[in-house]
Amino acid sequence: MKKRIFAVLLAACTVMSLAACGGSSDNKSDSDSASATSDTSGDGSVQTVTDGKLTVATSPDFAPYEFYAIDEDGNPSLAGFDMALAQYIADYMDLELEVITVDFDGVLSELQTKSVDLGMAGLSPDPKRESIMDFSDIYYEGGQSLVTTKENADKYNSLDAVNSSAVTVGAQTGSIQLDLANTNSPDADIISLPKVTDIISELLSGKMDAAYIETVVAESYQKNYPDLEIVADVPYDVAGSAIGVVKDNPELLAAVNEAIAAAIDDGSMDTFVTEANEQASGQTYEGLLDESGNVQQ
């Protein structure tokens, strides 16, 4: 299922973050920001899937990158620092943001078929994906972790400990973490699931012994599920996240990199990450909405 969600549905923290970008004394002046924005793509020099829009595919099950924040009335809003950065990039390029929510595999498929301009889902710039997308510069540096429960923390406390046929190890389908599981735990019973929330549920219910999860994501879940335990760092050559950019559009890639640099330089990226982590510790929903735009029960 694929849902299209416009910028107006982005979480309040996103809007507040963008407002904060121009309000700090350490950031550019309003006139400087307006000048930077007008330099990029309002003249139509950057081609997008839909004229006047920046179309972004994401998988909203990866807090604090992307998820749904639930307000006090039970209404879900798309949130996360990927979504805040997506809005920043769209504004920087003078385009309207359109977000398509799909499973993680769907993000890769949307880019491969050139149905979207960007894929933002905590993507690592894996060389194996370069045939279906280009990668932006790194916008967030993170790590990879081995996760289990507190009850099993002494038992499954290393990569060697989870490399056994008697151990069930999880990772998200199509992800770098699944590659890490296959590399570091080839003898284990490896189970790939489409959503990180499914993996967390299996861990907490005892149906899964350990899992490979990106560190910042694992830390976010740990706040809401104290029984989770991060037991080991997992070596990985590429320590960071990049945006997937549709192939054969060098002007778009250049514009995205320019916007990323601006977001890092003016402090916006730090604000996005901080606010997303705070919001992810509240009531959230991670997954796709139903046809009416409601949380699936």
Side-chain angles (χ1 to χ4, degrees):
M1 177 178 63
K2 180 164 63 177
K3 308 283 290 185
R4 292 181 179 266
I5 302 178
F6 290 89
V8 292
L9 293 183
L10 292 182
C13 71
T14 304
V15 177
M16 292 173 62
S17 299
L18 295 171
C21 295
S24 170
S25 60
D26 295 331
N27 295 336
K28 300 177 182 178
S29 68
D30 290 343
S31 60
D32 289 340
S33 297
S35 175
T37 301
S38 64
D39 287 342
T40 307
S41 69
D43 60 0
S45 61
V46 175
Q47 297 299 313
T48 56
V49 170
T50 302
D51 287 345
K53 292 183 180 180
L54 182 70
T55 307
V56 178
T58 193
S59 178
D61 61 353
F62 205 55
Y65 283 86
E66 44 267 326
F67 59 97
Y68 286 101
I70 308 298
D71 67 19
E72 58 185 15
D73 296 321
N75 299 313
S77 298
L78 197 57
F81 64 78
D82 267 0
M83 296 297 92
L85 179 59
Q87 184 66 68
Y88 184 102
I89 293 170
D91 288 346
Y92 194 91
M93 297 174 62
D94 196 24
L95 296 170
E96 178 185 356
L97 177 64
E98 182 177 19
V99 179
I100 298 174
T101 57
V102 290
D103 286 335
F104 184 80
D105 272 352
V107 175
L108 308 184
S109 297
E110 293 288 322
L111 281 167
Q112 186 170 16
T113 58
K114 298 187 176 183
S115 301
V116 298
D117 302 304
L118 307 178
M120 298 181 68
L123 290 168
S124 295
D126 184 355
K128 291 185 294 185
R129 294 173 177 162
E130 289 178 346
S131 63
I132 62 172
M133 69 183 78
D134 291 323
F135 287 106
S136 73
D137 296 335
I138 297 292
Y139 64 88
Y140 179 79
E141 294 185 359
Q144 306 294 332
S145 291
L146 182 68
V147 181
T148 185
T149 59
K150 290 188 181 297
E151 182 181 357
N152 290 325
D154 291 336
K155 186 176 182 181
Y156 304 119
N157 60 0
S158 69
L159 299 181
D160 288 339
V162 296
N163 188 25
S164 165
S165 59
V167 179
T168 302
V169 173
Q172 187 177 30
T173 305
S175 69
I176 292 297
Q177 292 74 38
L178 183 57
D179 291 341
L180 292 173
N182 287 319
T183 298
N184 295 287
S185 304
D187 296 331
D189 179 13
I190 298 174
I191 298 176
S192 66
L193 296 174
K195 296 190 295 184
V196 178
T197 43
D198 297 334
I199 295 169
I200 299 299
S201 178
E202 295 290 282
L203 281 172
L204 294 174
S205 67
K207 296 177 181 178
M208 185 179 289
D209 298 316
Y212 289 83
I213 301 175
E214 184 166 350
T215 302
V216 67
V217 177
E219 291 171 345
S220 177
Y221 277 105
Q222 200 173 33
K223 293 177 182 178
N224 289 329
Y225 303 99
D227 286 340
L228 292 175
E229 187 78 6
I230 298 173
V231 291
D233 292 331
V234 180
Y236 182 55
D237 292 339
V238 182
S241 298
I243 296 172
V245 181
V246 67
K247 295 286 288 184
D248 305 320
N249 195 335
E251 294 82 9
L252 176 60
L253 178 61
V256 168
N257 283 335
E258 184 180 324
I260 289 172
I264 293 173
D265 289 344
D266 68 17
S268 296
M269 195 65 223
D270 287 340
T271 300
F272 298 157
V273 172
T274 298
E275 292 186 347
N277 274 293
E278 290 174 355
Q279 198 164 20
S281 64
Q283 188 179 4
T284 65
Y285 172 73
E286 295 175 61
L288 301 178
L289 301 180
D290 64 22
E291 292 295 339
S292 300
N294 300 314
V295 170
Q296 296 181 8
Q297 303 296 327

